Amino acid sequence: MKGTLARHLQVQMGQISVIPLQCQQSSSSTAAVSNSSSRFQNLLDSEGSDPQFHSSTENPSIGDVDVDEKDFILSQDFFCTPDYITPVDQNLLNSFGHNKENMLCPESPEKLNTIKTKKRRQDVILANPLSPTLSDQQQNLEIANTSGTDEVKIEITPVTGTQRCQNYVSQSAVALRCFFSTIVGGDGLSRYHTDFHEMQQIGTGNFSRVFKVLKRIDGCLYAVKHSTRQLHQDAEKRKALMEVQALAALGCHENIVGYYSSWFENEQLYIQMELCDCSLSINKSSKSFTEDKVLEVLHQIAKALHFIHGCGIAHLDVKPDNIYVKNGVYKLGDFGCATLLNQSLPIEEGDARYMPQEILNENYNHLDKVDIFSLGAAIYELIRGSPLPKSGSQFFSLREGKLPLLPGHSLHFQNILKVMLDPDPVQRPSAKELLENPIFDKLQRNLRI
Ligand SMILES: Nc1ncnc2c1ncn2[C@@H]1O[C@H](COP(=O)(O)OP(=O)(O)OP(=O)(O)O)[C@@H](O)[C@H]1O
Ligand SMILES: [Mg+2]
């Protein structure tokens, strides 16, 4: 077994490129050059040199390290090398002027498990109580390895309060069972399949598929998105990397989907993210949202935009599909079109249904206001409960600022939508101005109660 394990680890480490913490920190800070736009550009340019995005090679000879098997597996420190945890210096765009005090950086779930995992053990295998994904109603994962196969059977059962307190220890068991099941029978050579157990597909986009996964080593649930196409050209890879680099640069914000890690595998980009419950996608059978509900969405996504714009970044694909919900909190996701506000990076606009006229005319002078228009269009779609048109007279009327009356909704609310959808970007409010609108006072009061 030891030989197998060592070989397996050698392969695995070869894929993830273990770089000592210090080394990675210094490379992050090297990337942190003074000029904000060149900082982002540097990140793009450094694709070939950034250890986070390396898929192999410059790896110390891991196979030579003589480590006791058990300690090896239980040692979170070893597995959760900087490659595995949220980047050490996520806030690469600090000089973009965003307010550090607003950041709610959660601690890495892996690190939190370390000590207790070593202290106790129990037979029932439960998921991590400190998982970023576990809520009050959430699940335990009972994992049984069917002998003779490498299949891991996962049953989801409700959690009681007492059970949740006892969950800690079992993580090593989750990790061990899942880990060995991969070594013993699985293909085991892909980082995705080695590190994660794929549970179900939870979304598809134009270019990607998204899966709910269990990370074997920490027993936490995550979402992993990967491109459906192989990205052969450097230019394609670079474009795909814009998404992860924007996420990494932004760091943590309650209303932005959390980012953990990313890597290339089989020329596809994999992105490990915080798992959310669902998106606000509107289809023909959707129910329209109440005004109170959309005001919550509007307020929370305006907070996300205020933060993003403060970092000098535009999202450019704000729409219900890209707004996720987790435990009642709305989060902006899918940074595939993110770019810099100062136009120093290529601009690829998002879904045309939510784009203002100026973008269709290739005028990119007010990219922050593009996001405001898209948010207005998204909110309008949620309130009317049916998909926005892709073309035709309704499509053009919306871009001319002609918003149909919304019976049953307050004039105050309709006026906000109207100004967000103003054809002149300068007339649209900034995210900050939106947040200061008295319409949100009621929400704030409810929050205080
Ligand atoms: N972190 C997540 N948690 C839960 N569901 C997610 C998560 N990320 C993505 N999804 C689901 O997967 C869908 C597709 O993801 P995403 O929008 O990122 O893919 P895409 O290929 O970039 O999409 P697009 O078609 O907008 O370009 C989302 O609409 C959402 O339903
Ligand atoms: Mg999307």
Side-chain angles (χ1 to χ4, degrees):
M1 174 57 82
K2 198 159 189 167
T4 319
L5 181 67
R7 212 169 32 251
H8 171 82
L9 288 166
Q10 202 165 6
V11 172
Q12 192 190 10
M13 295 309 157
Q15 286 169 345
I16 63 171
S17 143
V18 178
I19 309 278
L21 182 59
Q22 263 178 336
C23 162
Q24 200 173 43
Q25 273 169 332
S26 72
S27 83
S28 315
S29 52
T30 313
V33 292
S34 56
N35 175 300
S36 58
S37 66
S38 62
R39 186 179 299 250
F40 200 91
Q41 186 62 59
N42 274 358
L43 286 169
L44 286 176
D45 293 341
S46 66
E47 179 201 332
S49 58
D50 187 342
Q52 268 187 48
F53 299 105
H54 261 221
S55 56
S56 64
T57 59
E58 56 200 28
N59 179 8
S61 51
I62 294 296
D64 297 337
V65 182
D66 184 19
V67 192
D68 174 72
E69 266 176 27
K70 212 165 172 187
D71 284 352
F72 208 0
I73 290 160
L74 293 180
S75 163
Q76 298 278 334
D77 286 335
F78 195 93
F79 274 91
C80 299
T81 48
D83 198 57
Y84 272 76
I85 59 174
T86 302
V88 187
D89 182 6
Q90 264 206 343
N91 308 307
L92 296 171
L93 291 192
N94 276 349
S95 72
F96 278 56
H98 63 281
N99 181 2
K100 279 188 197 163
E101 283 165 21
N102 283 337
M103 289 187 208
L104 308 166
C105 242
E107 291 181 71
S108 155
E110 294 91 335
K111 292 294 176 194
L112 288 172
N113 284 338
T114 311
I115 302 164
K116 293 190 183 174
T117 301
K118 288 176 181 171
K119 277 187 189 158
R120 294 187 288 149
R121 276 177 173 253
Q122 61 186 46
D123 288 341
V124 184
I125 302 169
L126 302 170
N128 187 345
L130 294 178
S131 158
T133 57
L134 285 179
S135 67
D136 280 354
Q137 309 83 31
Q138 259 185 325
Q139 357 162 321
N140 284 340
L141 302 174
E142 285 210 22
I143 301 190
N145 194 351
T146 340
S147 63
T149 72
D150 63 335
E151 226 172 76
V152 179
K153 192 173 139 206
I154 297 192
E155 282 172 20
I156 296 176
T157 54
V159 184
T160 66
T162 358
Q163 276 176 316
R164 206 175 304 119
C165 302
Q166 297 167 350
N167 283 353
Y168 244 129
V169 195
S170 53
Q171 286 321 294
S172 55
V174 171
L176 279 168
R177 286 202 189 186
C178 297
F179 189 86
F180 280 117
S181 72
T182 309
I183 293 175
V184 172
D187 58 19
L189 297 181
S190 106
R191 171 166 171 181
Y192 177 57
H193 291 292
T194 304
D195 289 2
F196 301 95
H197 171 75
E198 190 174 280
M199 296 174 74
Q200 71 184 95
Q201 183 165 329
I202 51 173
T204 40
N206 287 323
F207 312 102
S208 65
R209 294 202 287 160
V210 183
F211 291 89
K212 175 179 177 177
V213 298
L214 171 72
K215 188 167 182 184
R216 300 178 194 279
I217 195 69
D218 63 16
C220 294
L221 297 172
Y222 297 93
V224 169
K225 167 174 171 174
H226 66 81
S227 42
T228 39
R229 245 170 19 88
Q230 287 184 312
L231 309 168
H232 295 295
Q233 311 291 328
D234 277 357
E236 292 177 309
K237 286 188 183 141
R238 243 168 241 265
K239 199 164 120 338
L241 281 177
M242 300 262 282
E243 177 168 4
V244 286
Q245 294 183 358
L247 279 169
L250 285 166
C252 302
H253 187 280
E254 193 188 15
N255 303 113
I256 295 175
V257 69
Y259 163 73
Y260 288 90
S261 176
S262 52
W263 66 98
F264 275 108
E265 182 173 315
N266 192 26
E267 305 213 77
Q268 287 160 291
L269 178 63
Y270 286 72
I271 309 175
Q272 179 196 352
M273 292 173 287
E274 168 185 24
L275 176 70
C276 300
D277 305 331
C278 58
S279 79
L280 297 185
S281 304
I282 287 284
N283 54 43
K284 286 193 184 112
S285 57
S286 297
K287 275 203 199 139
S288 57
F289 280 51
T290 62
E291 188 172 315
D292 282 352
K293 235 342 153 244
V294 290
L295 278 178
E296 273 181 44
V297 180
L298 178 56
H299 188 243
Q300 295 188 23
I301 301 305
K303 282 203 274 183
L305 289 182
H306 177 44
F307 178 75
I308 295 169
H309 296 163
C311 298
I313 293 174
H315 184 280
L316 296 194
D317 201 15
V318 178
K319 58 177 179 175
D321 280 4
N322 293 337
I323 298 174
Y324 312 144
V325 198
K326 183 182 171 190
N327 301 334
V329 177
Y330 299 100
K331 295 176 185 264
L332 188 57
D334 190 356
F335 282 72
C337 294
T339 190
L340 284 174
L341 288 174
N342 66 11
Q343 302 177 46
S344 59
L345 283 176
I347 292 166
E348 196 204 333
E349 63 256 34
D351 193 323
R353 287 173 297 172
Y354 309 87
M355 288 295 118
Q357 190 59 43
E358 75 263 16
I359 282 285
L360 308 175
N361 300 341
E362 299 186 14
N363 167 2
Y364 303 131
N365 290 333
H366 303 279
L367 292 179
D368 52 343
K369 302 297 182 74
V370 173
D371 285 341
I372 298 294
F373 181 95
S374 305
L375 180 57
I379 294 294
Y380 172 57
E381 183 173 66
L382 292 176
I383 204 93
R384 73 183 219 152
S386 61
L388 290 182
K390 288 184 177 147
S391 57
S393 58
Q394 266 192 47
F395 175 92
F396 287 107
S397 310
L398 204 62
R399 271 136 201 94
E400 287 161 8
K402 294 179 191 154
L403 184 72
L405 274 177
L406 296 167
H409 293 287
S410 68
L411 268 184
H412 191 171
F413 171 67
Q414 296 191 51
N415 283 338
I416 292 179
L417 278 192
K418 202 164 165 47
V419 70
M420 289 176 78
L421 295 168
D422 198 294
D424 179 0
V426 179
Q427 298 304 320
R428 288 175 216 145
S430 66
K432 182 169 183 285
E433 285 163 344
L434 253 184
L435 290 171
E436 286 162 358
N437 195 297
I439 202 163
F440 298 119
D441 290 352
K442 198 171 86 187
L443 291 180
Q444 304 285 36
R445 269 200 305 277
N446 290 347
L447 276 179
R448 277 197 291 271
I449 294 170

